């Protein structure tokens, strides 16, 4: 088996806690009503369209045209982003930093929209510690589209057979594998350390440690 030379981290839900419900708990207290709003108005599909490069202003205008009675809540989606992403996962960030400390080549690949990533990087400076990042909103591509993995590999000179991708989404993991990468389905920092070891990626620390994010 070819040794791992490159490690690619997803950001959302691997390194950062992301939950749209948090931003709406005060605005839409009833859970069923809040869930319906996030499924029907500010849905995952709607959010993915932002990832493909449309500006938030254009996206909001389109959503408001479809749901004029929800205009205030639609605008809150962007205005309350910081509530949706309240913190970094300390144990996961520790794994991320330990891969860097062990001398591994690390990059980031995220489906965050471009302006969302700018805000995330401002709030979480550790996102700048890798040698580079591909933000899907800049390309109008999103995982698991194979083109995004190929673009990332070409941009950073990665050998797919020696590249290990870490993501919390099984479709994204499968997409990476179809692009020729090895990939791990992230379910927690403890398991990630064991999974990395099984792929031949050795870290100095055997147990998670606290890390400043």
């Amino acid at each position: 088996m070819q040794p791992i030379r490159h490690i690619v981290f997803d950001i959302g839900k691997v390194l950062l806690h992301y939950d749209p419900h948090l931003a709406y708990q005060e605005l839409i207290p009833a859970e069923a009503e809040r869930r319906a709003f996030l499924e029907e108005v500010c849905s995952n599909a709607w959010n993915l369209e932002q990832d493909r490069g449309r500006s938030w202003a254009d996206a909001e205008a389109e959503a408001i045209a479809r749901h004029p009675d929800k205009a205030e809540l639609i605008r809150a989606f962007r205005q309350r982003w910081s509530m949706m992403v309240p913190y970094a996962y300390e144990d996961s960030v520790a794994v991320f930093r330990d891969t860097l400390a062990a001398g591994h080549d690390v990059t980031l690949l995220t489906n965050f929209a471009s302006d969302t990533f700018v805000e995330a990087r401002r709030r979480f400076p550790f996102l700048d510690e890798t040698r580079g990042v591909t933000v899907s909103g800049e390309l109008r591509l999103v995982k698991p589209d194979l083109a995004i993995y190929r673009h990332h590999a070409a941009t950073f000179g990665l050998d797919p057979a020696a590249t290990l991708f870490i993501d919390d989404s099984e479709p994204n993991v499968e997409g990476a594998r179809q692009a020729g990468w090895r990939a791990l389905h992230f379910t927690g920092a403890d398991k990630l350390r064991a999974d990395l070891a099984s792929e031949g990626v050795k870290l100095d620390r055997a147990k998670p440690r606290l890390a400043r994010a």
Side-chain angles (χ1 to χ4, degrees):
M1 187 167 62
Q2 188 169 349
I4 295 295
R5 291 202 291 271
H6 310 283
I7 300 174
V8 183
F9 279 83
D10 173 56
I11 298 173
K13 298 186 180 179
V14 174
L15 299 175
L16 301 181
H17 178 72
Y18 178 81
D19 184 355
H21 284 265
L22 297 174
Y24 288 97
Q25 286 179 342
E26 293 180 1
L27 297 174
I28 313 176
E31 182 178 355
E33 183 180 348
R34 186 169 64 249
R35 188 171 300 280
F37 172 79
L38 291 171
E39 289 176 354
E40 299 166 12
V41 183
C42 289
S43 65
N44 184 59
W46 177 84
N47 194 33
L48 284 178
E49 287 303 313
Q50 293 17 281
D51 293 337
R52 289 189 174 93
R54 289 196 308 177
S55 71
W56 279 98
D58 290 345
E60 286 177 354
E62 179 181 295
I64 290 170
R66 287 187 290 111
H67 304 277
D69 58 321
K70 301 288 195 303
E72 181 180 351
L73 294 174
I74 292 167
R75 293 189 181 100
F77 189 92
R78 178 70 178 126
Q79 295 165 354
R80 291 183 163 229
W81 182 87
S82 62
M83 297 175 68
M84 299 181 204
V85 185
Y87 56 82
Y89 292 112
E90 288 187 331
D91 289 347
S92 293
V93 174
V95 176
F96 163 82
R97 283 189 160 141
D98 286 350
T99 60
L100 291 168
H104 298 290
D105 180 46
V106 178
T107 57
L108 298 174
L109 173 57
T110 181
N111 274 355
F112 275 159
S114 298
D115 55 349
T116 302
F117 178 71
V118 169
E119 187 171 344
R121 190 166 54 186
R122 184 165 54 246
R123 292 185 57 210
F124 305 104
F126 73 86
L127 295 174
D128 284 328
E129 294 178 13
T130 66
R131 77 175 173 108
V133 58
T134 291
V135 181
S136 59
E138 297 170 353
L139 306 173
R140 304 193 179 193
L141 297 168
V142 295
K143 299 171 292 184
D145 188 330
L146 298 188
I148 194 74
Y149 306 101
R150 291 167 181 159
H151 173 90
H152 189 87
T155 299
F156 297 107
L158 310 186
D159 174 3
T163 296
L164 181 63
F165 180 55
I166 301 162
D167 198 303
D168 68 293
S169 164
E170 291 187 271
N172 294 346
V173 166
E174 180 56 31
R177 288 172 179 161
Q178 289 180 24
W181 297 8
R182 285 143 71 176
L184 297 175
H185 181 217
F186 175 85
T187 57
D190 287 339
K191 182 176 180 295
L192 176 58
R193 286 183 181 271
D195 288 344
L196 287 170
S198 71
E199 290 283 349
V201 178
K202 296 183 179 180
L203 305 180
D204 293 336
R205 299 171 180 85
K207 296 180 180 180
R209 63 181 174 86
L210 294 181
R212 292 182 180 178

